[in-house]
Amino acid sequence: MGHRNGKPDSILNSAGRGEDRSKTGKTQHSGESSQTPHDEAFKKLLQTFFAEFLELFLPELACQLDHGHTRFLQQELLVDIVGQEARQLDLLLETRIREGAAFVLVHLEPQSYRDDTFHERMFIYFSRLFERHRNEYRLMIPIAVFTMDDEREERDTLVMKLPEHDILRFQFLQVKLRRNNWRDFINSDNPVAAALLGKMRYTKKEARELRTAYLRMLLRLRRELDDARLALIMSIADLYYDPSQEEDEAIVRELREMGEEEEAREIMELMPAWKRWGYEEGIEQGIEQGIEQGIEQGIEQGVEQGRLMEKEKVARNLISLGLDTPTIVKATGLDSQQIEAMRQKTK
């Protein structure tokens, strides 16, 4: 069994250990302990809209699964057999396949940076899950979701073979967001499409048009989603497409110039970013003209109180969904102390 310098052990070493390659110019390995807000927000998106995600990017698989039996499992702690490094799987869920009504295990692994050994790491995760659960599940489905901006092809297959004999062929499903053109999604009412539109392929010249299309998608989704899920979509979208005050102001002006006053007003009411920048101050302009200053100030105070109550309502909903404080701050405009105080009251 002396293969310490051969391929079998080298695969495990390169894929299993939590090596930090940042000093060499290469990307950090996923064994790093901390996760970015992007990672946490994306995981929450998949947990909340798993069926919608599959319908958008893996429709053939979505049709084969019975989503009425989907439940997320406690994250599994896997220990790689060479480096003895602990690694939590990002998302693991149980669902049922329609044909034969058998339960299957789905492993979703978001990947936000380049790693030339990622395909090997996915095989290690799969093999450990197979070792633990092969008697429970008829099928195990590994899915990688690449969220980085790099459009380069990713290896999705691990092969071992002799000239006359295939020893192993492992291939996971993959979703590469950057390979999708944003224009293909703007007419969709799928909430995942709105959340990830800024991760699709677009040029700098198309950025304004993309932002306008996204805002219009939100108006449609507003009729279908509750406040918490809509706020989740908006907070994730703003992580991937950092909105510019000047750009969004220009979009609203253009809508008004085109006679879309109602649409412009709805967008301003909808976006948490507008509240942070104080755009509400001009919403009632003209309506309040001629009203005495004292009465006007009283109305404005009442409006502000109502907006604060609405922000707090959204924040409570996001807390109940399990979002972290920085993401809720970004979504609502409330400060972290307010969020933490609300979180304590819900315990």
Side-chain angles (χ1 to χ4, degrees), residues 33 35 96 167 227 258 294 318 326 339:
S33 58
Q35 289 187 312
R96 198 165 74 173
I167 296 173
D227 290 343
M258 292 187 296
L318 293 178
I339 301 300

Side-chain angles (χ1 to χ4, degrees), residues 64-186:
Q64 298 177 52
L65 300 180
D66 182 354
H67 297 293
H69 293 82
T70 295
R71 68 183 183 96
F72 282 85
L73 305 178
Q74 184 175 0
Q75 289 180 321
E76 294 224 10
L77 191 65
L78 301 185
V79 179
D80 99 64
I81 58 177
V82 173
Q84 299 300 309
E85 292 286 344
R87 162 74 187 186
Q88 261 191 347
L89 292 185
D90 277 332
L91 287 170
L92 196 64
L93 62 93
E94 176 189 88
T95 189
R96 198 165 74 173
I97 197 163
R98 295 183 186 277
E99 183 181 351
F103 282 93
V104 300
L105 196 64
V106 179
H107 166 215
L108 284 154
E109 187 75 13
Q111 179 72 2
S112 59
Y113 59 91
R114 289 210 55 82
D115 180 1
D116 291 336
T117 65
F118 179 75
H119 62 298
E120 298 172 352
R121 181 152 50 89
M122 284 293 287
F123 171 69
I124 290 178
Y125 296 160
F126 180 84
S127 64
R128 302 301 277 174
L129 288 173
F130 180 77
E131 179 183 24
R132 291 188 182 189
H133 300 292
R134 62 184 181 276
N135 294 324
E136 302 170 57
Y137 298 103
R138 167 186 171 184
L139 179 64
M140 298 179 193
I141 306 172
I143 304 172
V145 186
F146 296 103
T147 62
M148 66 280 254
D149 292 335
D150 190 349
E151 294 185 43
R152 192 171 67 179
E153 288 290 327
E154 302 291 338
R155 293 183 63 179
D156 62 355
T157 307
L158 179 64
V159 177
M160 291 184 183
K161 62 181 181 179
L162 296 168
E164 71 286 355
H165 181 73
D166 288 342
I167 296 173
L168 168 71
R169 180 178 176 81
F170 168 77
Q171 185 175 25
F172 55 87
L173 299 176
Q174 63 171 318
V175 175
K176 186 72 182 290
L177 296 179
R178 200 66 175 180
R179 291 179 190 163
N180 296 282
N181 189 297
W182 68 279
R183 294 185 186 277
D184 296 335
F185 296 88
I186 58 176

Side-chain angles (χ1 to χ4, degrees), residues 197-209:
L197 198 66
K199 290 300 293 181
M200 308 298 181
R201 185 174 69 254
Y202 65 94
T203 65
K204 290 184 178 179
K205 291 183 179 179
E206 296 173 326
R208 172 79 65 80
E209 190 179 357

Side-chain angles (χ1 to χ4, degrees), residues 13 16 34 50 115 129 150 168 194 205 317 325 340:
N13 275 310
S34 61
F50 170 69
D115 180 1
L129 288 173
D150 190 349
L168 168 71
K205 291 183 179 179
N317 288 333
T325 295
E340 288 302 324

